Amino acid sequence: MSVAGLKKQFYKASQLVSEKVGGAEGTKLDDDFKEMEKKVDVTSKAVTEVLARTIEYLQPNPASRAKLTMLNTVSKIRGQVKNPGYPQSEGLLGECMIRHGKELGESNFGDALLDAGESMKRLAEVKDSLDIEVKQNFIDPLQNLCEKDLKEIQHHLKKLEGRRLDFDYKKKRQGKIPDEELRQALEKFEESKEVAETSMHNLLETDIEQVSQLSALVDAQLDYHRQAVQILDELAEKLKRRMREASSRPKREYKPKPREPFDLGEPEQSNGGFPCASAPKITASSSFRSSDKPIRTPSRSMPPLDQPSCKALYDFEPENDGELGFREGDVITLTNQIDENWYEGMLDGQSGFFPLSYVEVLVPLPQ
């Protein structure tokens, strides 16, 4: 940094200290500028939180939600993303129904499970389309707004504050500092104020773009729900038709097979006429041989109870990448709370996510 640059940094630091500690008054910006700055700040907070909640709405599962955020770069190229790259809960339910429907074979319940499973898989495809549409037409434009326009405004405001401090320091020492240097500081301050004011004005005046993006989100939701209603209506009609057909068919009565005669044999035989071998005698020496000792099932390693941990109330089978499976009674080390419904923890060297409803917290995470 040059000597002039070091001097400017010293001026700004000195002025900031005199304002914060000594209560010195700095140059005041006009009310219109302050109001505009306040609106931009509120806009920035709104966009940031709406983005986070939209991603959570599309995919509540934290492991799948992490995959959704990784689509940002790829999905900017429209038409390149054919599916979101993670399983939808409707698709997992559909696969489960189809698998068990095939196992049941030709039966009322088995056929109904096949119908429902196919409909659930169609719902998963529609949900994939919703995720991609919302990502491309709502999430990506808002992220671009955060990363470019709002970031640029913050840069201009920071530069303006630095030039204001420099001008106020020199103005306070008028007479000791050359008038030309003071005049240049004022010009730079006014130039930065104009640039910042213009960028904030342009953002606030073009907020109709954000309305358009919000409209795209609603359109995508409407399209998803219309298709979902159509799929579920068709499924409901199929199931009702199966119920009508089943009720119209005559019921088959159960006829037990005739029992075969059973010969009890001689009266003194108590085992159906078959001689039985005498039971071998068990002696103390033979009943406790080392080879007959019961085998103990190895238990999972338990973490010390002085660190955050929880106990599994039920078995949990992971269905998505990143989830942690466990059995009832396992004690899991808690490492993080993702949200109000999911924890992250470790068991036997494996780390992953799991639902809060499946465990009982023994030692809570520190606040």
Side-chain angles (χ1 to χ4, degrees), residues 84-104:
Y86 51 82
Q88 301 287 359
S89 55
E90 293 89 346
L92 296 173
L93 176 58
E95 291 173 1
C96 171
M97 289 178 168
I98 290 173
R99 183 174 67 254
H100 290 293
K102 289 178 179 179
E103 290 175 355
L104 285 169

Side-chain angles (χ1 to χ4, degrees), residues 264-266 268-278:
L264 296 177
E266 297 298 326
E268 65 271 16
Q269 298 287 352
S270 60
N271 64 343
F274 296 97
C276 61
S278 59

Side-chain angles (χ1 to χ4, degrees), residues 41-296:
D41 184 56
V42 172
T43 300
S44 177
K45 290 178 180 177
V47 169
T48 302
E49 186 164 359
V50 167
L51 272 173
R53 296 299 179 186
T54 303
I55 293 173
E56 187 175 342
Y57 156 74
L58 289 178
Q59 188 48 258
N61 182 286
S64 298
R65 191 160 65 240
K67 293 182 181 179
L68 177 63
T69 58
M70 289 190 293
L71 287 174
N72 184 36
T73 303
V74 181
S75 63
K76 286 180 179 178
I77 308 173
R78 293 184 62 102
Q80 293 297 311
V81 181
K82 300 300 181 184
N83 60 73
Y86 51 82
Q88 301 287 359
S89 55
E90 293 89 346
L92 296 173
L93 176 58
E95 291 173 1
C96 171
M97 289 178 168
I98 290 173
R99 183 174 67 254
H100 290 293
K102 289 178 179 179
E103 290 175 355
L104 285 169
E106 292 186 7
S107 65
N108 291 326
F109 186 37
D111 292 341
L113 278 177
L114 289 174
D115 289 341
E118 290 296 337
S119 296
M120 291 299 127
K121 290 184 73 174
R122 288 174 61 195
L123 281 176
E125 293 174 0
V126 175
K127 186 67 164 42
D128 284 345
S129 298
L130 170 68
D131 286 4
I132 293 169
E133 284 295 318
V134 172
K135 189 76 175 61
Q136 291 179 341
N137 300 323
F138 183 70
I139 293 178
D140 285 348
L142 288 186
Q143 284 181 333
N144 187 61
L145 179 69
C146 284
E147 294 168 4
K148 291 183 67 177
D149 297 351
L150 290 171
K151 193 173 182 180
E152 184 179 325
I153 290 173
Q154 291 304 318
H155 169 73
H156 291 320
L157 290 174
K158 184 178 180 181
K159 192 171 184 179
L160 171 64
E161 177 64 9
R163 288 185 169 180
R164 182 196 67 78
L165 290 171
D166 181 60
F167 168 66
D168 284 343
Y169 177 85
K170 292 174 180 177
K171 183 175 67 172
K172 188 168 60 176
R173 285 155 181 77
Q174 192 172 5
K176 299 179 181 179
I177 291 179
D179 292 342
E180 179 61 22
E181 193 173 336
L182 180 60
R183 185 185 62 79
Q184 289 179 357
L186 176 60
E187 286 180 356
K188 288 183 177 181
F189 167 66
E190 291 178 342
E191 177 189 344
S192 287
K193 179 176 179 294
E194 184 178 346
V195 171
E197 208 164 24
T198 302
S199 61
M200 290 191 295
H201 174 80
N202 291 338
L203 174 73
L204 297 174
E205 285 299 309
T206 57
D207 63 350
I208 192 63
E209 293 180 11
Q210 283 75 65
V211 179
S212 173
Q213 292 148 12
L214 192 59
S215 177
L217 168 66
V218 175
D219 287 343
Q221 289 175 302
L222 275 173
D223 187 48
Y224 163 72
H225 287 293
R226 285 194 195 102
Q227 294 186 62
V229 167
Q230 181 181 351
I231 293 170
L232 292 175
D233 278 343
E234 293 173 2
L235 174 60
E237 185 57 37
K238 284 183 180 179
L239 296 178
K240 288 176 183 177
R241 185 167 62 250
R242 288 193 180 280
M243 287 189 289
R244 288 194 299 267
E245 291 173 355
S247 61
S248 64
R249 287 196 295 264
K251 292 184 178 180
R252 294 181 298 175
E253 293 185 3
Y254 172 71
K255 293 182 179 180
K257 294 180 180 180
R259 297 182 180 179
E260 296 181 1
F262 188 70
D263 184 10
L264 296 177
E266 297 298 326
E268 65 271 16
Q269 298 287 352
S270 60
N271 64 343
F274 296 97
C276 61
S278 59
K281 292 183 180 180
I282 301 175
T283 64
S285 60
S286 64
S287 60
F288 294 100
R289 289 176 295 176
S290 60
S291 61
D292 296 332
K293 288 182 180 180
I295 300 173
R296 295 177 61 87

